[in-house]
Amino acid sequence: MTAAEILAEVFYGLVGLLFLLVGLHARRAAGPGTMLFWLILAFTFIIGPWLPDWVTGLCIVVLAVLTALGRVRSGVSDAPTDEETRKNADRFGGRVFLPAVVLAVTAVLAATFLPFGASNAIGISALAAVIAALLLFHVPARDVPRAAVRDGVRLIDSIGPVGILPQVLAALGALFTAAGVGDVISSAVSGIIPAGSRLAAVAVYCIGMALFTVVMGNGFAAFSVITAGVGVPFLIAQGADPVVVGALGLTAGYCGTLVTPMAANFNIMPAALLEMRSKYGILRAQAPVAAVLLCVHIALMYFLAF
């Protein structure tokens, strides 16, 4: 294994340990179904590379069944009170967003400058964000391990199974690609795009990315399928820059993320956490922005890719 792969396994192991703690917490707070869900997920994260494929597949099926039967519930019992939340909000104000900024900036820097950062940027930036949060909130050194684990477990537990949806949907996109869905889409699109029309090809690619993301709920899942079916044969084959096509194609898919309930961790879960009257309120607010951004993506790709 390379250094990057070893570091990635370390991060997967740390995430698996957090899932393990969530499962142990659920044993007394949410019932055996919830505990089993998180323990199985921890099992796949910690020793996944050494498991036969059929065992990993069976674990995923069990996770899906437990979720579908409503056996996975939140077991949070130590959430701060409304008074504590209000007091801390008044105390820290906008500074509470600094760890999130540190996470984003560190991820970009790690992916750009570290030799092993491209595949480990999120793990590296997450550690940096944790350190920033501990310093910002003045956590005593003796309480650091307990605070990090306690709040990490509470956050994962409050998000629930929705948190692993992007990973599952990305795997589904790879499965669709392997099954030849991209070839089917390419055959269908060939009768729509006029020969040699770059603008039509760009529009179909970007709109297809957005629409398939709406269906899949994840831009990564849509990317492999639509790029194989439209991007490569109708754009890159006409001389488009693959880097521009790939970068703008993926973010065009995010325009679909803004308007789909399938992206539950982005659109439905925040509505629940904010106790909004309508769980689709976020989707309605984001729809105009998504439409404008999609048009901007089409224009940018047309002028920059060729």
Side-chain angles (χ1 to χ4, degrees):
M1 297 177 68
T2 65
E5 292 172 337
I6 294 174
L7 183 59
E9 289 305 323
V10 171
F11 286 133
Y12 276 118
L14 291 174
V15 174
L17 288 176
L18 273 178
F19 289 153
L20 177 63
L21 293 172
V22 174
L24 295 176
H25 178 269
R27 177 175 57 85
R28 62 180 184 276
T34 305
M35 179 185 70
L36 183 61
F37 178 92
W38 292 112
L39 292 183
I40 291 175
L41 193 59
F43 173 72
T44 60
F45 266 72
I46 294 173
I47 63 172
W50 299 278
L51 292 176
D53 292 343
W54 69 268
V55 174
T56 303
L58 180 61
C59 289
I60 294 173
V61 171
V62 174
L63 295 179
V65 170
L66 289 172
T67 305
L69 294 177
R71 299 297 182 182
V72 185
R73 302 187 300 272
S74 174
V76 172
S77 58
D78 57 351
T81 63
D82 292 341
E83 292 76 13
E84 290 174 325
T85 301
R86 182 71 267 168
K87 179 181 178 181
N88 288 327
D90 292 337
R91 177 184 177 189
F92 294 103
R95 288 180 294 164
V96 74
F97 296 107
L98 284 177
V101 175
V102 170
L103 180 112
V105 172
T106 306
V108 173
L109 294 177
T112 304
F113 297 107
L114 295 181
F116 49 80
S119 57
N120 294 288
I122 295 299
I124 296 170
S125 61
L127 290 178
V130 169
I131 295 172
L134 293 172
L135 294 175
L136 173 66
F137 301 126
H138 309 295
V139 178
R142 65 179 182 277
D143 295 333
V144 165
R146 180 174 178 272
V149 171
R150 179 196 63 211
D151 289 333
V153 168
R154 180 167 60 85
L155 178 62
I156 293 172
D157 186 67
S158 64
I159 294 174
V162 171
I164 67 169
L165 188 59
Q167 183 182 15
V168 175
L169 290 174
L172 183 60
L175 179 62
F176 276 15
T177 302
V181 176
D183 295 333
V184 174
I185 293 175
S186 179
S187 299
V189 168
S190 61
I192 300 174
I193 300 177
S197 176
R198 294 177 175 179
L199 179 59
V202 167
V204 169
Y205 177 60
C206 291
I207 295 173
M209 274 295 302
L211 291 178
F212 209 73
T213 301
V214 168
V215 174
M216 300 291 291
N218 186 285
F220 291 104
F223 181 76
S224 57
V225 176
I226 301 300
T227 300
V230 181
V232 173
F234 296 100
L235 287 174
I236 296 176
Q238 292 192 62
D241 186 340
V243 175
V244 176
V245 170
L248 289 177
L250 185 58
T251 52
Y254 295 160
C255 298
T257 303
L258 294 174
V259 294
T260 177
M262 286 292 291
N265 53 327
F266 291 106
N267 300 325
I268 303 302
M269 184 186 67
L273 294 177
L274 294 172
E275 299 180 354
M276 297 178 63
R277 293 180 180 178
S278 172
K279 63 180 180 180
Y280 300 118
I282 291 178
L283 297 177
R284 287 194 293 268
Q286 293 176 164
V289 178
V292 172
L293 285 177
L294 185 57
C295 293
V296 171
H297 273 79
I298 293 173
L300 288 176
M301 188 177 295
Y302 179 73
F303 288 108
L304 298 179
F306 295 97

